[in-house]
């Protein structure tokens, strides 16, 4: 069972990054093989809407997306973490997500299978942290993740959203959030037969 963790915060010791690492530790404790990627260390440029993928399902832009793409397709579990920026995912996250238009093309235009072996359940989980208490803060990321996981042929397993945390690393003081991240990581790794229509919602509004 491969679990891929994608961290999109540009900050060292970022809050969303710390939750992601906790979730990956949980997945590992449940026997999964965890891999961690930090988008800020990679060179991925935005989708140019060139349209090449509509004919082939392949993205022709040669950059680190070509390294991340097979990892996303091979993982049976994905944990995607982002800070909330202007009520949505951060730019690093959105750039990667937009590049997955080639997967949307494969799936919906070309009607090709994305992943081998077919039939194995794939599941994704989203983590986000914002500074304010705004109750609408996670609306946008919820929708974006729904369509991103769908393009990846993944069910939407869970959300872990935490508000009122700003200073880098401060999330480590939030024991409940750290424990929930670990627990959800274990549950994600061990979620065989999970109803793909059901998303576990953990929203810690402080
Ligand atoms: C460019 C930028 C935009 C932000 N926009 C929001 C926002 O819309 N709502 C909010 O609650 N916090 C916002 N924040 C605060 C971050 O979400 C907060 O610091 C969070 O803890 C960052 O997560 P990270 O440590 O994982 O990067 C913003 C921060 C930056 C730098």
């Amino acid at each position: 069972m491969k679990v891929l963790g994608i961290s999109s915060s540009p900050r060292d010791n970022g809050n969303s990054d710390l939750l992601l690492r906790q979730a990956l530790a949980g997945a590992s404790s449940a026997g999964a093989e965890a891999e961690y990627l930090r988008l800020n260390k990679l060179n991925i440029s935005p989708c140019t809407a060139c349209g090449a993928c509509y004919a082939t399902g392949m993205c022709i832009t040669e950059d680190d997306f070509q390294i991340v793409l097979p990892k996303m397709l091979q993982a049976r579990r994905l944990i995607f973490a982002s800070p909330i920026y202007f009520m949505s995912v951060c730019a690093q996250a959105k750039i990667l997500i937009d590049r997955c238009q080639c997967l949307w093309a494969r799936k919906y235009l070309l009607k090709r299978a994305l992943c081998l072996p077919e039939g194995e359940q794939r599941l994704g989980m989203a983590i986000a942290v914002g500074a304010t208490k705004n109750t609408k803060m996670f609306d946008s990321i919820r929708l974006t993740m729904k369509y991103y996981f769908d393009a990846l042929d993944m069910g939407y397993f869970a959300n872990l959203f935490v508000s009122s945390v700003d200073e880098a690393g401060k999330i480590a003081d939030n024991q409940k959030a750290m424990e929930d991240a670990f627990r959800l990581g274990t549950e994600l790794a061990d979620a065989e037969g999970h109803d793909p229509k059901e998303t576990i919602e953990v929203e810690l509004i402080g």
Side-chain angles (χ1 to χ4, degrees), residues 9-11 13-18 82-88 129-134 137 164-169:
S9 173
R11 291 207 285 192
N13 207 28
N15 295 309
S16 55
D17 184 85
L18 289 175
S82 176
I84 295 293
Y85 281 5
F86 284 86
M87 306 295 274
S88 187
V129 180
T132 65
K133 286 185 191 166
N134 190 313
M137 189 163 47
S164 313
V165 185
D166 201 5
E167 186 190 326

Side-chain angles (χ1 to χ4, degrees), residues 32-50:
E33 182 192 326
E35 182 174 359
Y36 166 84
L37 278 182
R38 192 160 169 214
L39 294 182
N40 210 37
K41 302 276 185 214
L42 301 172
N43 174 30
I44 303 179
S45 50
C47 173
T48 59
C50 68

Side-chain angles (χ1 to χ4, degrees), residues 101-115:
Q101 184 71 347
C102 60
L103 299 181
W104 179 89
R106 271 187 222 184
K107 188 173 172 180
Y108 290 107
L109 296 181
L110 305 171
K111 307 203 185 307
R112 282 189 3 216
L114 293 188
C115 308

